[in-house]
Amino acid sequence: MKKLIACLTAITAVMCITTSCGKVEETTDDASIAVESTESGENGGITEEETESTSDETEETTETTETTEEATTSFSSDLAYASTVEEYVSAVNNKDYERALMLMFPDSLAEVMLEFDEFGVSQATDVFDGANCTIVDLKENNDATDEFADELAQALSQIKGAYEYIAENGEDAFWSYEPDEKAEPMCEITQLYEVVLTVANENGDTADIPLMVYNVEGEGWNIDASMQEYISESKEQSMVSTAKSFSNATNSILVEMDCMGVDLSGCFVICSDSSKNISGDFDVDAFTEDLANWFPDYTDYEYILVIDNGMCLGAYCADKSDSEIVGMYPDGMVPTFENGKIVRDKITLSENDSYSLDELYEMITAQAE
């Protein structure tokens, strides 16, 4: 694990492309063909038959080159970062580790990573072996700038700090490194997008590769696949935090209503889709009006709130723009109706599975009637 911090991030993005495209057989070197033909001719010369063979191979090589160039130039995109993605793929194809690294990370971080001589260029480019990918398509998934750009900048700062610490104290010091969570971000990320890059190898096999592209103030676009998992985890954590905000806001409103003498006895389910409410005599309109005061952004989300005798037992939400990620608070537990009452810990969810809001609603209300 000694080289972990020195090479893991760089290898991840490189391997993402090479493993997806698959390896292709190396083409025969034209120079070696010429040498073999010369040696096989009488008295060191080239026979007429061999000349024709070499000519045919040259024509075939020319046709292959023209086909490759045609495939490469056929890709076009109006996306602002398309040219940087093309340069990134070109660096991978050309086994240019240093250029790929500079395109992956902000300049100051890439420069620190390149100082680790024990992880040499020759070692790094071995993982490119056999890859010769052509861009087929580039599609933008969604804009994650507002929510994750600052967090990504902070994460990159932590990576740089780890590199600098190891450079000063040695690789073994990695295990004693404690990141400064209050450190200023090393850069400002002004735009951040998740994209899907479709590439094809020389055999025509295609693969979709998820990438993240981000614009660093004063530097330009960077292309990276190694931080994709970080973004996904950040989204999940962010949605859990949002669910907690829903829960806190709901409990605050319920306390106010209780102080005003409102009868809160009973079991209720309040949803963004009012047709799914199980509300009885509960004043949903008054509750929603107060929710706007306690949590103004609540209209950005689809949500389910489970209330039992004046207490929020569960809050579940998903961003309307990305409903696949559902936040739960408390996490991993779903209360459900049983004999007209709500049981708090009847259902425990698997950490390895994901659930939609509709699925959670069915779990909660299956025995409501």
Side-chain angles (χ1 to χ4, degrees):
M1 298 289 285
K2 287 185 177 181
K3 295 183 180 180
L4 175 64
I5 200 67
C7 65
L8 179 59
T9 311
I11 285 292
T12 303
V14 171
M15 288 299 292
C16 182
I17 286 183
T18 57
T19 56
S20 296
C21 288
K23 292 189 175 184
V24 294
E25 296 181 1
E26 294 183 2
T27 56
T28 307
D29 194 319
D30 289 341
S32 64
I33 293 175
V35 171
E36 292 172 1
S37 299
T38 301
E39 292 176 349
S40 62
E42 186 177 354
N43 297 325
I46 303 177
T47 66
E48 182 178 349
E49 180 179 340
E50 289 167 340
T51 302
E52 292 176 357
S53 175
T54 303
S55 176
D56 291 340
E57 290 173 354
T58 302
E59 290 177 3
E60 183 177 345
T61 302
T62 302
E63 290 176 1
T64 302
T65 303
E66 290 175 352
T67 302
T68 302
E69 289 178 352
E70 182 180 350
T72 303
T73 56
S74 64
F75 168 75
S76 63
S77 173
D78 295 331
L79 296 173
Y81 43 78
S83 60
T84 307
V85 174
E86 288 186 276
E87 187 176 359
Y88 176 71
V89 173
S90 176
V92 172
N93 288 337
N94 294 324
K95 305 180 183 180
D96 189 348
Y97 164 70
E98 292 189 19
R99 186 56 191 153
L101 197 65
M102 295 299 293
L103 288 167
M104 287 168 58
F105 301 107
D107 293 346
S108 58
L109 173 56
E111 290 169 359
V112 171
M113 295 172 72
L114 288 170
E115 291 178 3
F116 284 76
D117 295 333
E118 71 276 8
F119 184 62
V121 174
S122 60
Q123 291 174 315
T125 54
D126 285 345
V127 299
F128 293 94
D129 186 33
N132 188 10
C133 299
T134 301
I135 298 178
V136 176
D137 195 12
L138 180 64
K139 294 182 179 179
E140 191 172 287
N141 190 2
N142 65 312
D143 186 349
T145 304
D146 295 338
E147 199 167 358
F148 301 108
D150 292 341
E151 294 182 31
L152 176 58
Q154 185 65 42
L156 292 170
S157 298
Q158 302 300 345
I159 295 174
K160 182 182 178 184
Y163 272 97
E164 292 175 336
Y165 182 83
I166 295 171
E168 182 177 351
N169 299 284
E171 290 181 348
D172 291 336
F174 168 70
W175 305 110
S176 62
Y177 172 69
E178 295 183 4
D180 181 4
E181 297 182 358
K182 296 182 179 180
E184 290 294 323
M186 60 177 287
C187 61
E188 179 181 355
I189 297 176
T190 59
Q191 293 173 284
L192 186 152
Y193 300 91
E194 292 179 72
V195 302
V196 176
L197 172 67
T198 303
V199 294
N201 66 7
E202 293 176 338
N203 295 325
D205 300 323
T206 62
D208 291 335
I209 302 173
L211 295 175
M212 185 177 64
V213 296
Y214 58 98
N215 193 299
V216 177
E217 179 70 27
E219 295 185 15
W221 292 99
N222 289 92
I223 313 297
D224 184 58
S226 62
M227 301 297 287
Q228 200 75 11
E229 183 176 352
Y230 164 80
I231 289 293
S232 297
E233 291 178 355
S234 294
K235 284 183 176 182
E236 293 173 1
Q237 293 172 3
S238 175
M239 202 53 58
V240 170
S241 177
T242 300
K244 184 177 181 180
S245 295
F246 266 108
S247 178
N248 291 341
T250 299
N251 281 324
S252 297
I253 296 169
L254 294 173
V255 169
E256 286 186 343
M257 295 175 74
D258 183 55
C259 291
M260 294 172 62
V262 178
D263 182 8
L264 297 175
S265 59
C267 308
F268 315 110
V269 178
I270 311 301
C271 307
S272 52
D273 181 355
S274 59
S275 67
K276 295 182 176 181
N277 287 348
I278 301 176
S279 54
D281 295 331
F282 187 79
D283 192 343
V284 178
D285 291 337
F287 173 83
T288 304
E289 185 176 341
D290 284 342
L291 186 59
N293 296 325
W294 284 96
F295 188 26
D297 295 333
Y298 84 98
T299 55
D300 294 336
Y301 304 92
E302 298 173 346
Y303 59 86
I304 303 170
L305 305 173
V306 182
I307 300 172
D308 180 38
N309 293 308
M311 179 180 295
C312 182
L313 293 187
Y316 311 90
C317 61
D319 194 312
K320 289 181 178 178
S321 65
D322 188 7
S323 59
E324 292 184 0
I325 300 178
V326 175
M328 295 182 279
Y329 187 82
D331 192 16
M333 184 274 294
V334 176
T336 185
F337 281 84
E338 189 174 276
N339 299 322
K341 297 181 179 180
I342 292 181
V343 181
R344 182 188 294 266
D345 55 358
K346 182 71 174 181
I347 300 176
T348 302
L349 303 180
S350 171
E351 296 180 358
N352 299 323
D353 295 329
S354 59
Y355 304 87
S356 68
L357 276 180
D358 288 339
E359 289 173 328
L360 294 175
Y361 180 82
E362 290 297 324
M363 294 179 191
I364 295 167
T365 63
Q367 302 182 48
E369 298 182 358

